[in-house]
Amino acid sequence: NAGVMQNPRHLVRRRGQEARLRCSPMKGHSHVYWYRQLPEEGLKFMVYLQKENIIDESGMPKERFSAEFPKEGPSILRIQQVVRGDSAAYFCASSIGPEKNTEAFFGQGTRLTVV
Amino acid sequence: GNSVTQMEGPVTLSEEAFLTINCTYTATGYPSLFWYVQYPGEGLQLLLKATKADDKGSNKGFEATYRKETTSFHLEKGSVQVSDSAVYFCALGGQGGKLIFGQGTELSVKP
């Protein structure tokens, strides 16, 4: 049973370009969470999605960031018109449900560098 | 709102030393508490968890006890190894399954 798969592992974008980060959850998991880890900081929650629905996007920046989790295919975190401050590691986690003691499994992350 | 505060790193220890990484939290209700470990270049792995007051989570020689009276969940290990070198994150289970993380504590164990 493959774990949470994220790709690409490393992504370099010039300022103003778009970044697309993909996350395939573990088999059987329909709940996906995206987190951002800025240098020297902990992980900050961005968005929680279930298949075809955004459940909680309270951690998403209001502009340029969007996320989706279609019925078929991976979850996508999209950053438009990237800026240097978007450089960070982006982690995806999946779980079987939102219950408070349910384990979330993390992918290896995508490290975005904006030049 | 809910938050987690961790002891700042980096922490440098010699092999076989005793480890404590402090973690305190602020929360409404009775959240679950977690410790995650991140090895270099990797994602986070769950190390241990506790779901209610006085629960003790343990794994790979690491332990942490959910202390409601002191709102703490300190991580301990009696004898660290070089292979324990990593970044350790304390986390609180929030609404809807999302996690609220501390800032992480880097541990470096020297032979």
Side-chain angles (χ1 to χ4, degrees), chain B residues 49-71:
Chain B
K49 70 178 183 183
T51 59
K52 61 183 186 298
D54 300 324
D55 263 3
K56 178 187 282 188
S58 60
N59 185 25
K60 300 181 182 178
F62 291 89
E63 293 183 340
T65 301
Y66 189 159
R67 301 278 188 208
K68 184 168 175 291
E69 63 278 9
T70 54
T71 60

Side-chain angles (χ1 to χ4, degrees), chain B residues 66-85:
Chain B
Y66 189 159
R67 301 278 188 208
K68 184 168 175 291
E69 63 278 9
T70 54
T71 60
S72 65
F73 193 53
H74 304 323
L75 182 68
E76 295 182 336
K77 186 174 185 182
S79 175
V80 293
Q81 306 300 313
V82 172
S83 57
D84 293 327
S85 298

Side-chain angles (χ1 to χ4, degrees), chain B residues 21-38:
Chain B
I21 300 178
N22 290 340
C23 171
T24 56
Y25 67 91
T26 302
T28 53
Y30 303 97
S32 294
L33 298 171
F34 305 84
W35 277 100
Y36 280 84
V37 58
Q38 184 181 29

Side-chain angles (χ1 to χ4, degrees), chain A residues 55-100:
Chain A
I55 307 300
D56 180 349
E57 56 182 349
S58 58
M60 286 279 269
K62 296 295 181 226
E63 297 178 349
R64 303 188 296 107
F65 284 72
S66 62
E68 62 177 12
F69 189 15
K71 187 176 179 181
E72 301 290 338
S75 175
I76 306 286
L77 179 68
R78 182 181 177 207
I79 311 172
Q80 295 178 291
Q81 300 175 338
V82 295
V83 300
R84 288 236 171 94
D86 297 333
S87 295
Y90 293 82
F91 289 96
C92 168
S94 74
S95 72
I96 58 172
E99 291 75 27
K100 67 175 185 175

Side-chain angles (χ1 to χ4, degrees), chain A residues 9 33 35 37 40-45 48 56 58 91 98-104 106-108 111, chain B residues 30-32 34 36 38 41-44 46 49 51 89 93-99 101-104:
Chain A
R9 291 289 305 276
Y33 304 81
Y35 294 84
Q37 184 180 29
E40 309 301 324
E41 293 188 18
L43 282 75
K44 303 291 186 195
F45 168 79
Y48 162 35
D56 180 349
S58 58
F91 289 96
E99 291 75 27
K100 67 175 185 175
N101 60 350
T102 302
E103 181 176 353
F106 282 79
Q108 292 183 303
R111 282 155 180 82
Chain B
Y30 303 97
S32 294
F34 305 84
Y36 280 84
Q38 184 181 29
E42 300 293 323
L44 276 72
L46 179 64
K49 70 178 183 183
T51 59
F89 292 95
Q95 187 175 2
K98 69 185 184 187
L99 295 165
F101 286 90
Q103 71 270 34

